[in-house]
Amino acid sequence: MLIHHRHWLLLTLLIAATSGTLLFAQEAGEVLVKRGMIADDLYVAGRSVDVAAQVDGDVVVAGKLVSIDGLVSGDVLAAGESVTIRAQVQDDVRAAGRSVTLAGSVADHVAAAGETVVIAPAANVDGWAWLAGREVNVAGRIGRELKVAAQTVIVSGEVAGDVELMAEEIVIPASARINGNLVYRSDKEPQIAEGAEIAGDIIARPVPYREPEGRGAGLLVVAAQAVAAIVYVLLFPAFSVAGAERLRRTPFSALGI
């Protein structure tokens, strides 16, 4: 089953939102490490970015390796090959990358997309979570609804609201606690272990119509190309301050618009 084009669009929009603000990055370089108190929004880009600070505002980061820890009073927007968020985030999280891991707390909602997306056992999301990827593993706590589109999805944590899953393979281990309905779209029956707690109904819905190759596949190709272009523009020129300066002076030319 191909991931529906709406969820590729989610990935594109997540990275595009990050790229738009990072054109005006405060700092760009090979390796960036931020510590201590930051009394404003933080916009940084680099090959390796490590933020372990108390930030009184939003954190917007792009890099090959991205790590965010500490306390963030606003939103977190992050894009990279590997994105790990252990911070206490007092608003929303939006993240995209090849590998995305959330192991901190989020006071509002989470939207994340990647090849692999992990909500670690230590993670606590007070709001809803919308996730898309090849493999999605939800082992933490979600305070409201959970929606996932993936090839393989594992829900082993606690979800306070409804769970809606679209995947080829759905696994609900014995540790799962779902306090609402489980709604699934799949060609296979979900693997629900004995001991898993589902308070609501288990509801099967039809798998979305697959558009013929050349139409639906074209949408995926366009979306994938958009993501690739955005990541290229976002990451590679940002490896030097000079590149960041060029982006600030001529952002539309740099983006090829």
Side-chain angles (χ1 to χ4, degrees):
M1 179 196 302
L2 290 173
I3 296 176
H4 196 272
H5 69 265
R6 286 178 298 176
H7 297 93
W8 279 107
L9 180 61
L10 168 63
L11 175 59
T12 306
L13 292 176
L14 285 171
I15 300 179
T18 311
S19 66
T21 49
L22 280 167
L23 290 174
F24 305 95
Q26 298 160 344
E27 289 188 60
E30 284 286 330
V31 178
L32 292 176
V33 179
K34 308 299 291 185
R35 297 287 188 269
M37 296 279 297
I38 299 172
D40 205 346
D41 296 337
L42 179 66
Y43 300 83
V44 290
R47 184 176 294 276
S48 175
V49 181
D50 181 5
V51 177
Q54 182 172 331
V55 181
D56 189 14
D58 298 336
V59 172
V60 183
V61 179
K64 184 175 182 181
L65 302 176
V66 173
S67 176
I68 303 173
D69 211 326
L71 175 66
V72 179
S73 68
D75 296 332
V76 167
L77 287 83
E81 183 173 335
S82 173
V83 177
T84 302
I85 302 170
R86 303 184 188 89
Q88 297 179 43
V89 182
Q90 296 181 347
D91 209 334
D92 305 329
V93 167
R94 293 183 285 277
R98 175 174 290 180
S99 171
V100 177
T101 301
L102 175 66
S105 62
V106 180
D108 207 340
H109 67 256
V110 170
E115 186 175 350
T116 61
V117 178
V118 176
I119 307 298
N124 183 77
V125 179
D126 288 342
W128 49 259
W130 291 4
L131 312 172
R134 182 181 59 81
E135 182 174 332
V136 175
N137 190 331
V138 180
R141 179 187 176 276
I142 308 298
R144 292 174 59 188
E145 70 178 11
L146 170 67
K147 292 187 177 183
V148 180
Q151 183 174 332
T152 301
V153 57
I154 302 170
V155 179
S156 58
E158 179 184 353
V159 182
D162 291 340
V163 172
E164 185 172 345
L165 308 175
M166 181 171 67
E168 284 187 5
E169 184 176 5
I170 296 171
V171 180
I172 312 293
S175 59
R177 303 290 180 266
I178 297 172
N179 294 317
N181 296 326
L182 171 60
V183 180
Y184 70 93
R185 302 171 189 268
S186 179
D187 292 328
K188 302 177 182 177
E189 290 291 322
Q191 303 172 39
I192 302 176
E194 185 177 352
E197 295 182 8
I198 301 173
D201 298 327
I202 300 174
I203 303 168
R205 293 274 170 82
V207 176
Y209 167 68
R210 296 181 181 83
E211 295 180 336
E213 188 173 354
R215 292 174 57 198
L219 287 171
L220 291 176
V221 169
V222 169
Q225 288 175 339
V227 170
I230 289 165
V231 170
Y232 180 84
V233 171
L234 177 62
L235 299 183
F236 289 95
F239 289 159
S240 69
V241 174
E245 286 296 329
R246 286 196 296 273
L247 285 173
R248 277 194 285 266
R249 287 198 304 270
T250 57
F252 293 107
S253 298
L255 283 169
I257 297 176

